[in-house]
Amino acid sequence: MEQPPPPQIAILGAGIFVRNTYIPRLAEISNLFVLRAIWSRSEESARGAVEIAKKFFPNVECKWGEAGLNEIIQDASIIGVAVVLAGQAQVDMSLRLLKSGKHVLQEIDNWFTNSAGTELNTAISSYNSLKPAPIWAVAENYRFEPAFVEGKKLMAEIGDIINIHVIIEGSMNSSNPYFSSSWRRDFVGGFILDMGVHFISGLRMLVGCEITSVSAITSHVDTTLPAPDHISSTIQLENGSSGVFVMVVSSRSPKVLWRIVGLKGTLQVERGSKDGKHGYTVVLFTADGQNKSWFYPFSGVTEELKTFVSDISQANLKKDGSHQVEPRISFLEGARDVAVLDAMLESGKRQGAAVQVKKF
Ligand SMILES: *[C@@H]1O[C@H](CO)[C@@H](O)[C@H](O)[C@H]1NC(C)=O
Ligand SMILES: *[C@@H]1O[C@H](CO)[C@@H](O)[C@H](O)[C@H]1NC(C)=O
Ligand SMILES: *[C@@H]1O[C@H](CO)[C@@H](O)[C@H](O)[C@H]1NC(C)=O
């Protein structure tokens, strides 16, 4: 197979997630691509992130403002861009880049602009009209976490599903660096949408089947958080199975758990740590009363970045838009995750009325 040259990429954004997560994770795979530039709206913020990145990518350039953005857009050697900007209207930025021919990796958190989903539909149809279309990837690391990849395979062991439950007791409080990010407070759904989307993708990944309708109660108890700060929802799957999804944004004793009860056994994935590493424990309870367990440290962000880099180098070889994107980074998967939470929030507003999940 022809070995493509390492693709050149840029990052738009210089906030906490770029500094604490993107740069160190990209550094782990720095042999696979060239980081050409980091851009931010303000020069100061761009310089801060470039300072950190220089340790791993000595030649990275600092770009800011409209002029810096245009330089990135007009530089044909930069073929991929990671959009890691805070908040609303990032879909517009992604579309602008896609129209200029860049492949885009967009953080899923930046996707919700409003809960109506109309902007999303408009964005999707305007993307679909691009010929050839560059890759539009939505980053959701849960689909790449080894615990979910392996857990999904174990689903075959538990037989027919009787019940699914997801219990999320988060730890979002004023000590969390994301707590005061203002944009998370400004949109409907607050932290439930922002944090919850990852737990929904973990769920969809494990069960391998779409959620068709939900019925939810939402409430607002902790007034230091935006409303709602709690959701209790029933979930109905396409194939007849059902379960519950419970999420508390801030609790004193965090817990993050998916549990699927089947006729022949139960599968559980739970966040935890082992030997100083954070990750997930996967437990399979079998019909004979025994259990087997495996611990998988977090590595989803690295895996997803690796997939994007490999996809864009392949696409760049073909140039005609015929390269198939790895389904786990397809923007459609991201849209499906968001649609489930949108439906839950909508049901919450209507005192638990059953709401159909929008199909993408
Ligand atoms: C669908 O539901 C049944 C139980 O009703 C279950 O056994 C099966 O594994 C489910 N998932 C898929 C992807 O069909
Ligand atoms: C926030 O949550 C963390 C993790 O549960 C905890 O260690 C910390 O004490 C909490 N801080 C506040 C201000 O409640
Ligand atoms: C698995 O089984 C062992 C005993 O065989 C038990 O000590 C352990 O608590 C079980 N693990 C879980 C997660 O229940």
Side-chain angles (χ1 to χ4, degrees):
M1 203 173 82
E2 193 180 341
Q3 194 61 38
Q8 305 196 15
I9 67 167
I11 299 176
L12 303 194
I16 310 167
F17 195 62
V18 168
R19 294 172 192 218
N20 295 355
T21 304
Y22 257 71
I23 295 172
R25 298 291 82 78
L26 284 171
E28 291 169 9
I29 54 167
S30 60
N31 57 322
L32 302 179
F33 66 96
V34 176
L35 180 61
R36 281 284 310 283
I38 297 181
W39 176 92
S40 178
R41 287 186 211 287
S42 85
E43 176 180 356
E44 190 191 358
S45 153
R47 290 213 180 277
V50 164
E51 201 58 40
I52 297 168
K54 276 233 149 88
K55 275 192 249 91
F56 314 102
F57 307 98
N59 300 319
V60 61
E61 293 169 43
C62 185
K63 305 269 183 197
W64 64 90
E66 192 55 27
L69 184 59
N70 278 325
E71 284 164 24
I72 291 175
I73 289 177
Q74 279 154 23
D75 185 338
S77 64
I78 297 176
I79 65 165
V81 179
V83 177
V84 205
L85 297 164
Q88 288 103 329
Q90 299 320 310
V91 172
D92 289 345
M93 179 66 90
S94 293
L95 280 177
R96 182 172 167 193
L97 293 159
L98 289 162
K99 285 177 186 159
S100 77
K102 308 285 188 213
H103 302 296
V104 169
L105 176 70
Q106 182 187 336
E107 275 302 306
I108 196 167
D109 315 49
N110 297 338
W111 198 329
F112 342 107
T113 45
N114 63 27
S115 57
T118 47
E119 289 170 53
L120 205 51
N121 281 324
T122 316
I124 290 174
S125 47
S126 96
Y127 171 72
N128 285 337
S129 69
L130 300 176
K131 304 266 181 305
I135 292 172
W136 184 13
V138 166
E140 172 42 69
N141 54 296
Y142 277 59
R143 280 188 268 280
F144 290 87
E145 288 299 344
F148 289 90
V149 174
E150 297 306 315
K152 186 182 177 65
K153 294 179 194 158
L154 292 170
M155 286 291 292
E157 311 277 319
I158 67 167
D160 280 350
I161 298 173
I162 303 168
N163 174 261
I164 299 157
H165 67 253
V166 183
I167 307 290
I168 310 296
E169 296 162 13
S171 56
M172 180 52 69
N173 63 31
S174 56
S175 330
N176 189 300
Y178 295 103
F179 182 75
S180 49
S181 308
S182 61
W183 64 270
R184 287 184 167 79
R185 302 179 159 271
D186 293 344
F187 64 69
V188 181
F191 289 111
I192 292 267
L193 202 45
D194 184 18
M195 295 158 62
V197 71
H198 304 294
F199 308 120
I200 297 291
S201 57
L203 166 66
R204 290 184 51 246
M205 175 86 183
L206 286 176
V207 297
C209 172
E210 296 304 334
I211 297 163
T212 50
S213 89
V214 301
S215 164
I217 304 292
T218 51
S219 61
H220 189 204
V221 178
D222 184 343
T223 50
T224 65
L225 297 164
D229 68 331
H230 152 251
I231 194 159
S232 289
S233 181
T234 58
I235 50 177
Q236 175 69 59
L237 270 62
E238 198 168 49
N239 75 343
S241 345
S242 61
V244 293
F245 176 91
V246 175
M247 180 170 168
V248 171
V249 172
S250 180
S251 81
R252 294 281 164 174
S253 51
K255 186 172 190 72
V256 174
L257 171 89
W258 294 255
R259 197 168 152 103
I260 298 153
V261 182
L263 270 182
K264 296 192 294 186
T266 293
L267 181 73
Q268 177 176 302
V269 178
E270 184 170 16
R271 189 178 289 182
S273 57
K274 191 177 179 186
D275 306 328
K277 286 187 174 159
H278 293 286
Y280 299 96
T281 301
V282 176
V283 188
L284 176 67
F285 300 88
T286 45
D288 56 6
Q290 304 294 304
N291 68 65
K292 279 183 243 169
S293 75
W294 301 264
F295 180 78
Y296 299 97
F298 292 138
S299 71
V301 176
T302 313
E303 293 303 316
E304 114 204 319
L305 291 170
K306 222 191 258 177
T307 303
F308 178 68
V309 166
S310 144
D311 269 4
I312 67 175
S313 359
Q314 292 303 326
N316 201 42
L317 282 181
K318 294 200 176 166
K319 302 227 189 274
D320 58 357
S322 68
H323 175 72
Q324 292 298 312
V325 65
E326 143 82 67
R328 286 177 296 167
I329 58 171
S330 148
F331 67 95
L332 282 174
E333 290 298 314
R336 288 171 186 143
D337 294 336
V338 173
V340 173
L341 272 167
D342 270 344
M344 288 178 182
L345 290 166
E346 178 62 25
S347 171
K349 271 191 245 160
R350 290 161 46 194
Q351 285 74 43
V355 171
Q356 298 295 312
V357 176
K358 211 171 288 146
K359 283 192 177 160
F360 285 99

mmCIF file of all heavy atoms in Angstrom, residues 160-180:
data_model
loop_
_atom_site.group_PDB
_atom_site.id
_atom_site.type_symbol
_atom_site.label_atom_id
_atom_site.label_comp_id
_atom_site.label_asym_id
_atom_site.label_seq_id
_atom_site.Cartn_x
_atom_site.Cartn_y
_atom_site.Cartn_z
ATOM 1 N N ASP A 160 -30.376 -12.546 25.758
ATOM 2 C CA ASP A 160 -31.378 -11.503 25.526
ATOM 3 C C ASP A 160 -31.387 -10.480 26.653
ATOM 4 O O ASP A 160 -31.330 -10.829 27.829
ATOM 5 C CB ASP A 160 -32.768 -12.133 25.409
ATOM 6 C CG ASP A 160 -32.984 -12.726 24.018
ATOM 7 O OD1 ASP A 160 -32.137 -12.470 23.136
ATOM 8 O OD2 ASP A 160 -33.982 -13.445 23.832
ATOM 9 N N ILE A 161 -31.491 -9.216 26.257
ATOM 10 C CA ILE A 161 -31.473 -8.132 27.248
ATOM 11 C C ILE A 161 -32.812 -8.048 27.980
ATOM 12 O O ILE A 161 -33.872 -8.038 27.344
ATOM 13 C CB ILE A 161 -31.205 -6.776 26.558
ATOM 14 C CG1 ILE A 161 -29.835 -6.788 25.879
ATOM 15 C CG2 ILE A 161 -31.312 -5.624 27.544
ATOM 16 C CD1 ILE A 161 -29.571 -5.547 25.023
ATOM 17 N N ILE A 162 -32.740 -7.984 29.324
ATOM 18 C CA ILE A 162 -33.953 -7.761 30.105
ATOM 19 C C ILE A 162 -34.056 -6.281 30.468
ATOM 20 O O ILE A 162 -35.103 -5.669 30.345
ATOM 21 C CB ILE A 162 -33.942 -8.620 31.389
ATOM 22 C CG1 ILE A 162 -33.795 -10.106 31.016
ATOM 23 C CG2 ILE A 162 -35.209 -8.379 32.208
ATOM 24 C CD1 ILE A 162 -33.492 -11.000 32.203
ATOM 25 N N ASN A 163 -32.933 -5.716 30.916
ATOM 26 C CA ASN A 163 -32.944 -4.306 31.338
ATOM 27 C C ASN A 163 -31.567 -3.676 31.165
ATOM 28 O O ASN A 163 -30.543 -4.332 31.286
ATOM 29 C CB ASN A 163 -33.367 -4.205 32.814
ATOM 30 C CG ASN A 163 -33.251 -2.782 33.349
ATOM 31 O OD1 ASN A 163 -32.278 -2.426 34.006
ATOM 32 N ND2 ASN A 163 -34.222 -1.961 33.028
ATOM 33 N N ILE A 164 -31.624 -2.372 30.908
ATOM 34 C CA ILE A 164 -30.382 -1.601 30.775
ATOM 35 C C ILE A 164 -30.464 -0.495 31.808
ATOM 36 O O ILE A 164 -31.513 0.155 31.913
ATOM 37 C CB ILE A 164 -30.346 -0.923 29.392
ATOM 38 C CG1 ILE A 164 -30.371 -1.986 28.295
ATOM 39 C CG2 ILE A 164 -29.167 0.019 29.251
ATOM 40 C CD1 ILE A 164 -30.876 -1.465 26.973
ATOM 41 N N HIS A 165 -29.434 -0.285 32.606
ATOM 42 C CA HIS A 165 -29.459 0.965 33.364
ATOM 43 C C HIS A 165 -28.124 1.670 33.398
ATOM 44 O O HIS A 165 -27.071 1.063 33.434
ATOM 45 C CB HIS A 165 -30.137 0.856 34.731
ATOM 46 C CG HIS A 165 -29.452 0.023 35.737
ATOM 47 N ND1 HIS A 165 -29.911 -1.204 36.122
ATOM 48 C CD2 HIS A 165 -28.357 0.259 36.467
ATOM 49 C CE1 HIS A 165 -29.114 -1.691 37.052
ATOM 50 N NE2 HIS A 165 -28.171 -0.842 37.277
ATOM 51 N N VAL A 166 -28.250 2.989 33.310
ATOM 52 C CA VAL A 166 -27.081 3.855 33.291
ATOM 53 C C VAL A 166 -27.248 4.807 34.466
ATOM 54 O O VAL A 166 -28.274 5.482 34.567
ATOM 55 C CB VAL A 166 -27.015 4.651 31.967
ATOM 56 C CG1 VAL A 166 -25.759 5.505 31.918
ATOM 57 C CG2 VAL A 166 -27.085 3.714 30.758
ATOM 58 N N ILE A 167 -26.281 4.809 35.371
ATOM 59 C CA ILE A 167 -26.340 5.683 36.541
ATOM 60 C C ILE A 167 -25.124 6.600 36.508
ATOM 61 O O ILE A 167 -23.985 6.122 36.565
ATOM 62 C CB ILE A 167 -26.278 4.868 37.869
ATOM 63 C CG1 ILE A 167 -27.325 3.768 37.917
ATOM 64 C CG2 ILE A 167 -26.360 5.797 39.091
ATOM 65 C CD1 ILE A 167 -28.741 4.237 38.048
ATOM 66 N N ILE A 168 -25.371 7.880 36.365
ATOM 67 C CA ILE A 168 -24.267 8.831 36.314
ATOM 68 C C ILE A 168 -24.429 9.813 37.465
ATOM 69 O O ILE A 168 -25.418 10.556 37.532
ATOM 70 C CB ILE A 168 -24.266 9.629 34.981
ATOM 71 C CG1 ILE A 168 -24.372 8.705 33.758
ATOM 72 C CG2 ILE A 168 -23.030 10.542 34.924
ATOM 73 C CD1 ILE A 168 -23.228 7.759 33.536
ATOM 74 N N GLU A 169 -23.487 9.802 38.392
ATOM 75 C CA GLU A 169 -23.484 10.791 39.463
ATOM 76 C C GLU A 169 -22.187 11.565 39.283
ATOM 77 O O GLU A 169 -21.117 11.087 39.637
ATOM 78 C CB GLU A 169 -23.574 10.088 40.823
ATOM 79 C CG GLU A 169 -24.910 9.343 40.979
ATOM 80 C CD GLU A 169 -24.887 8.285 42.080
ATOM 81 O OE1 GLU A 169 -23.950 8.272 42.894
ATOM 82 O OE2 GLU A 169 -25.830 7.467 42.113
ATOM 83 N N GLY A 170 -22.305 12.710 38.645
ATOM 84 C CA GLY A 170 -21.126 13.473 38.234
ATOM 85 C C GLY A 170 -20.515 14.251 39.383
ATOM 86 O O GLY A 170 -21.008 14.226 40.519
ATOM 87 N N SER A 171 -19.412 14.926 39.085
ATOM 88 C CA SER A 171 -18.748 15.684 40.142
ATOM 89 C C SER A 171 -18.426 17.094 39.665
ATOM 90 O O SER A 171 -17.354 17.612 39.903
ATOM 91 C CB SER A 171 -17.469 14.975 40.569
ATOM 92 O OG SER A 171 -16.644 14.788 39.450
ATOM 93 N N MET A 172 -19.397 17.677 38.952
ATOM 94 C CA MET A 172 -19.174 19.025 38.446
ATOM 95 C C MET A 172 -19.418 20.022 39.584
ATOM 96 O O MET A 172 -20.540 20.129 40.066
ATOM 97 C CB MET A 172 -20.146 19.279 37.287
ATOM 98 C CG MET A 172 -20.032 20.646 36.656
ATOM 99 S SD MET A 172 -18.352 21.080 36.153
ATOM 100 C CE MET A 172 -18.082 19.945 34.796
ATOM 101 N N ASN A 173 -18.376 20.668 40.054
ATOM 102 C CA ASN A 173 -18.559 21.701 41.069
ATOM 103 C C ASN A 173 -17.513 22.789 40.855
ATOM 104 O O ASN A 173 -16.738 22.722 39.901
ATOM 105 C CB ASN A 173 -18.503 21.100 42.481
ATOM 106 C CG ASN A 173 -17.140 20.479 42.777
ATOM 107 O OD1 ASN A 173 -16.116 20.927 42.269
ATOM 108 N ND2 ASN A 173 -17.144 19.440 43.598
ATOM 109 N N SER A 174 -17.474 23.750 41.757
ATOM 110 C CA SER A 174 -16.629 24.926 41.517
ATOM 111 C C SER A 174 -15.132 24.606 41.457
ATOM 112 O O SER A 174 -14.348 25.433 41.019
ATOM 113 C CB SER A 174 -16.911 25.996 42.562
ATOM 114 O OG SER A 174 -16.713 25.437 43.839
ATOM 115 N N SER A 175 -14.720 23.390 41.868
ATOM 116 C CA SER A 175 -13.288 23.058 41.736
ATOM 117 C C SER A 175 -12.951 22.569 40.337
ATOM 118 O O SER A 175 -11.783 22.421 39.991
ATOM 119 C CB SER A 175 -12.861 21.948 42.710
ATOM 120 O OG SER A 175 -13.597 21.957 43.868
ATOM 121 N N ASN A 176 -13.974 22.250 39.547
ATOM 122 C CA ASN A 176 -13.724 21.730 38.197
ATOM 123 C C ASN A 176 -13.353 22.879 37.254
ATOM 124 O O ASN A 176 -14.030 23.903 37.233
ATOM 125 C CB ASN A 176 -14.990 21.016 37.708
ATOM 126 C CG ASN A 176 -14.762 20.266 36.422
ATOM 127 O OD1 ASN A 176 -14.396 20.852 35.405
ATOM 128 N ND2 ASN A 176 -14.951 18.964 36.465
ATOM 129 N N PRO A 177 -12.267 22.702 36.477
ATOM 130 C CA PRO A 177 -11.849 23.808 35.602
ATOM 131 C C PRO A 177 -12.912 24.223 34.573
ATOM 132 O O PRO A 177 -12.876 25.340 34.066
ATOM 133 C CB PRO A 177 -10.601 23.271 34.906
ATOM 134 C CG PRO A 177 -10.583 21.799 35.135
ATOM 135 C CD PRO A 177 -11.355 21.552 36.389
ATOM 136 N N TYR A 178 -13.859 23.322 34.279
ATOM 137 C CA TYR A 178 -14.891 23.663 33.294
ATOM 138 C C TYR A 178 -16.102 24.345 33.926
ATOM 139 O O TYR A 178 -17.003 24.785 33.240
ATOM 140 C CB TYR A 178 -15.358 22.408 32.545
ATOM 141 C CG TYR A 178 -14.264 21.786 31.711
ATOM 142 C CD1 TYR A 178 -13.593 20.654 32.136
ATOM 143 C CD2 TYR A 178 -13.891 22.361 30.495
ATOM 144 C CE1 TYR A 178 -12.570 20.098 31.385
ATOM 145 C CE2 TYR A 178 -12.871 21.806 29.734
ATOM 146 C CZ TYR A 178 -12.218 20.675 30.184
ATOM 147 O OH TYR A 178 -11.209 20.132 29.429
ATOM 148 N N PHE A 179 -16.116 24.401 35.274
ATOM 149 C CA PHE A 179 -17.299 24.879 35.989
ATOM 150 C C PHE A 179 -17.765 26.260 35.533
ATOM 151 O O PHE A 179 -18.936 26.483 35.309
ATOM 152 C CB PHE A 179 -17.017 24.902 37.497
ATOM 153 C CG PHE A 179 -18.184 25.345 38.318
ATOM 154 C CD1 PHE A 179 -19.253 24.495 38.518
ATOM 155 C CD2 PHE A 179 -18.217 26.614 38.891
ATOM 156 C CE1 PHE A 179 -20.335 24.890 39.279
ATOM 157 C CE2 PHE A 179 -19.299 27.012 39.654
ATOM 158 C CZ PHE A 179 -20.363 26.145 39.847
ATOM 159 N N SER A 180 -16.817 27.170 35.397
ATOM 160 C CA SER A 180 -17.243 28.534 35.120
ATOM 161 C C SER A 180 -17.247 28.886 33.641
ATOM 162 O O SER A 180 -17.526 30.025 33.285
ATOM 163 C CB SER A 180 -16.381 29.519 35.907
ATOM 164 O OG SER A 180 -15.036 29.190 35.723
#
